[in-house]
Amino acid sequence: MKVLIAIKRVIDYNVKIRVKSDNSGVETANVKFSMNPFDEIAVEEAVRLKEAGKAEELVAVSMGVAQCQETIRTALAMGADRGILVQTDAELQPLAVAKLLKALVDKEQPQLVILGKQAIDDDSNQTGQMLAALLGWPQGTFASKVTLGDGKAEVVREIDGGLETVEIKLPAVVSTDLRLNEPRYASLPNIMKAKKKPIDTVTPADLGVDVAPRLVTLKVEEPAKRKAGVKVASVAELVDKLKNEAKVI
């Protein structure tokens, strides 16, 4: 079975985000980038499926600028077999990413597409669902456990009320949640081996996909700073402030 893993290059989760002075977006110059944490979980799950004998080939796909090759190399060091970079300087929104992934699925013919449930930069949580709709495939979103069987997959999903278990037929799309697994650290030998693994580069035009943005960002602002708290001398004063100032009781 072939598994396609979609990964995204995002600003590292440890970096403090700064808004540009013109409010057009966030600062990306001289900022550390890394693989989206949810996508790391997707890569780890795919590698575990291969180690369990459920998958034969793992293909890591990333989209964006040339530096996305570094993100693909990380996936290759974790255990993916080869990579595909859809190189473009255009802003890629979820619908465009889903269309590009569909074009690659039509070309590669995987039996499973696995990706993070959302990216930590835009928090859209749309690509997996859009891809499943475009392909007409079953989907298991927010997966906290994935078990592959004979031509089907059992996915335990995290929902507001607890856990939901669904059975879907393959081929299918699965998006990963935080509790699915703990991603491994790539060892030095595997990092060296990853440098020799192939990465194919294509463009949206090669795939016949229009990636023109459908949405326009009007303004980006930092959230309002929280006001400092105050100490109260008594319970009566606390109740008075909650009632008359905060107006929460």
Side-chain angles (χ1 to χ4, degrees), residues 189-207:
N190 286 338
I191 293 173
M192 300 306 293
K193 290 177 184 177
K195 294 181 179 181
K196 298 181 180 179
K197 293 181 179 180
I199 298 179
D200 298 327
T201 302
V202 296
T203 65
D206 294 336
L207 299 173

Side-chain angles (χ1 to χ4, degrees), residues 114-128:
I114 187 166
L115 68 166
K117 70 170 185 177
Q118 65 195 74
I120 62 172
D121 53 359
D122 58 16
D123 274 336
S124 291
N125 179 26
Q126 295 174 345
T127 304

Side-chain angles (χ1 to χ4, degrees), residues 117-173:
K117 70 170 185 177
Q118 65 195 74
I120 62 172
D121 53 359
D122 58 16
D123 274 336
S124 291
N125 179 26
Q126 295 174 345
T127 304
Q129 294 89 327
M130 287 178 170
L131 175 61
L134 291 172
L135 290 169
W137 285 9
Q139 58 181 313
T141 55
F142 317 138
S144 62
K145 184 179 180 182
V146 178
T147 306
L148 293 186
D150 185 18
K152 60 186 179 182
E154 187 178 276
V155 179
V156 179
R157 304 180 60 239
E158 298 203 0
I159 59 175
D160 291 341
L163 298 176
E164 177 186 51
T165 302
V166 296
E167 185 178 276
I168 54 179
K169 292 182 179 179
L170 298 178
V173 177

